[in-house]
Amino acid sequence: MTDDVRLRLRLRRGRGALGFSFFAQGVAFALLVTRIPAIQDRYGISDGLLPAFLAAVPVLAGAASVATEHLVKRVAPSAVLRWAQPLVLLSLLGVGAGSRMWHVALALGAFGLSVGALDASMNMIGVSLQRAYRRSIMLGFHAAYSLGGILGASAAWAGAHWHLDLFLSYLPVVALLLPLVLWASRDYVVTPSGAGQEKGLGTGGGKLLLPLCLVMACAYIGDSTVANWSAKYLQDVLGSSEQLATVPYNVYMVTTLLGRAVGDLGVRRFGAAAVVRGGTVVAASGFAVVAAAPGAWAGMLGFTLLGIGLCVIVPQTFAAAGRLFPGASDTAVARLNIFNYVGFLIGSPLVGGIGDAWSYRGAMLVPMVLVMITLFHAGSFGPRAARYGVGHERPRVVDVGRGGNEV
């Protein structure tokens, strides 16, 4: 077997292993967020205290992303991912196993810290693999995450439908995924930045990364708006039934999956900047349709457009950071990942506050305007932006799962 064939096989296994990691994380996160009412009931968390618990998770995740930026200067991102993902699953099980409020506080804290390290390291490896493939593959990884989210939400629905205890609801999923992610971690691969050493962002690097940080935050403001307000908006503003009000988020997740599944083909044909511009226009149109919708079905159309449009922005933002800073992609991805949580923290209270003070129709125009900011920074996604990055050496591929041998 030639070295070239070995390389292709190693990359293919690494791509599959990372795709499964994204999938498992989608399952775990969906199982947590869709069972929040059950968690609140189990531990007697008041409505006033619940936002503090929920806000603590992204705050800790952001702190862990910062820590991961420094940690990967000493160990490979794959080593971080190999240990962070089991901790995510075990902390999820801990959420369902406790009986006192400090138990769930500890479990959610562990979940937030491990999720931050996991999100950062997963996307670091994804960016490095895309660099090795020399074509767009990042959307495929995030499509696996969306698929995991759909299946996780379905598993949560089944647990709620059959009135299963939280621990019994989580245990089969964790018992299945935990050994599989440990097995898959043997095949993680990573391409060292530049000549093999992670460099800093360089003079002015922070300014070059700032537009992408802004795009990431705005995209997650849009995403959190759908996640937190779609059901309430459809029921309270558009007069749908309670049952129909649960549909928009499911539709949003399905269209996100479909858009990401084919998105890499669009990037390869039309370029990342064109795909991001198109996604931004579609997402902004979706918010406009939602704001102006005369009834529930028109609102559903708006949320469908949102899924199609928003799904491409986040994966391509991570990929753009890797192109912009090929010699410091791990650092860039870790810093960019923080704004994932910034957007999540801002989005829900922003829309809720405007909706309470003014109107929820008007509130939907705010994320529309914020998402459209992406149009002004679409140049950061194109090949011309990469010319101002740090380093342009052809990457090597390193096996970080089975002995650390270079490929």
Side-chain angles (χ1 to χ4, degrees):
M1 185 182 295
T2 67
D3 289 343
D4 189 55
V5 172
R6 285 196 194 92
L7 173 61
R8 287 199 298 269
L9 290 175
R10 187 62 54 81
L11 286 174
R12 191 175 300 140
R13 287 198 299 267
R15 185 178 177 182
L18 185 62
F20 185 77
S21 181
F22 271 87
F23 168 81
Q25 172 58 0
V27 173
F29 191 76
L31 279 171
L32 178 73
V33 299
T34 55
R35 297 304 306 274
I36 286 173
I39 295 170
Q40 185 179 9
D41 291 342
R42 180 185 183 94
Y43 293 97
I45 304 171
S46 67
D47 290 339
L49 190 57
L50 181 62
F53 274 84
L54 299 181
V57 174
V59 168
L60 290 171
S65 188
V66 173
T68 301
E69 173 190 341
H70 301 285
L71 183 59
V72 296
K73 295 175 182 177
R74 301 177 181 273
V75 299
S78 56
V80 179
L81 177 57
R82 182 177 296 115
W83 294 107
Q85 190 145 53
L87 289 175
V88 168
L89 293 170
L90 291 173
S91 59
L92 176 68
L93 197 61
V95 170
S99 58
R100 298 184 179 182
M101 195 170 296
W102 70 267
H103 293 163
V104 71
L106 185 63
L108 287 175
F111 188 90
L113 289 171
S114 52
V115 158
L118 185 148
D119 284 346
S121 57
M122 275 198 315
N123 284 290
M124 287 174 186
I125 298 171
V127 166
S128 73
L129 275 173
Q130 177 162 291
R131 187 166 56 236
Y133 268 84
R134 293 181 173 269
R135 58 188 172 92
S136 179
I137 60 173
M138 278 295 287
L139 280 157
F141 293 133
H142 286 261
Y145 178 91
S146 296
L147 177 60
I150 292 170
L151 294 181
S154 299
W157 177 89
H161 178 74
W162 294 104
H163 305 290
L164 294 179
D165 178 80
L166 273 176
F167 181 77
L168 293 178
S169 179
Y170 289 158
L171 181 60
V173 178
V174 173
L176 176 64
L177 290 180
L178 186 58
L180 291 178
V181 296
L182 288 171
W183 178 266
S185 71
R186 299 163 69 246
D187 288 318
Y188 292 152
V189 295
V190 65
T191 60
S193 298
Q197 292 183 341
E198 181 80 356
K199 305 173 185 176
L201 295 184
T203 304
K207 291 183 179 179
L208 285 174
L209 187 63
L210 188 58
L212 295 178
C213 294
L214 182 61
V215 168
M216 179 71 79
C218 291
Y220 269 97
I221 288 173
D223 182 83
S224 67
T225 299
V226 181
N228 292 295
W229 294 105
S230 59
K232 179 177 177 62
Y233 187 87
L234 218 70
Q235 188 171 355
D236 294 354
V237 178
L238 301 183
S240 78
S241 66
E242 182 178 357
Q243 183 175 3
L244 185 61
T246 65
V247 175
Y249 186 67
N250 289 331
V251 171
Y252 173 77
M253 289 297 295
V254 171
T255 52
T256 295
L257 170 62
L258 295 176
R260 288 173 172 174
V262 301
D264 283 320
L265 297 176
V267 172
R268 294 168 199 165
R269 181 165 183 176
F270 303 109
V275 169
V276 168
R277 286 191 185 100
T280 300
V281 171
V282 173
S285 301
F287 276 118
V289 170
V290 169
W297 289 105
M300 293 272 288
L301 173 62
F303 287 115
T304 301
L305 292 173
L306 281 170
I308 296 171
L310 287 176
C311 71
V312 301
I313 297 177
V314 170
Q316 283 307 305
T317 306
F318 280 120
R323 286 192 299 272
L324 195 60
F325 300 98
S329 61
D330 291 347
T331 299
V333 168
R335 294 187 186 181
L336 190 59
N337 189 56
I338 298 169
F339 289 84
N340 163 352
Y341 311 116
V342 171
F344 188 85
L345 279 171
I346 292 174
S348 181
L350 177 67
V351 171
I354 294 173
D356 291 338
W358 179 30
S359 77
Y360 280 97
R361 286 187 184 274
M364 290 295 164
L365 298 177
V366 175
M368 180 192 78
V369 172
L370 291 175
V371 167
M372 288 183 68
I373 290 174
T374 302
L375 292 176
F376 296 99
H377 300 294
S380 297
F381 294 83
R384 287 184 298 175
R387 291 186 298 183
Y388 303 98
V390 182
H392 294 277
E393 299 88 340
R394 180 182 177 89
R396 294 173 290 117
V397 180
V398 175
D399 173 10
V400 295
R402 306 181 190 226
N405 299 317
E406 293 186 5
V407 179

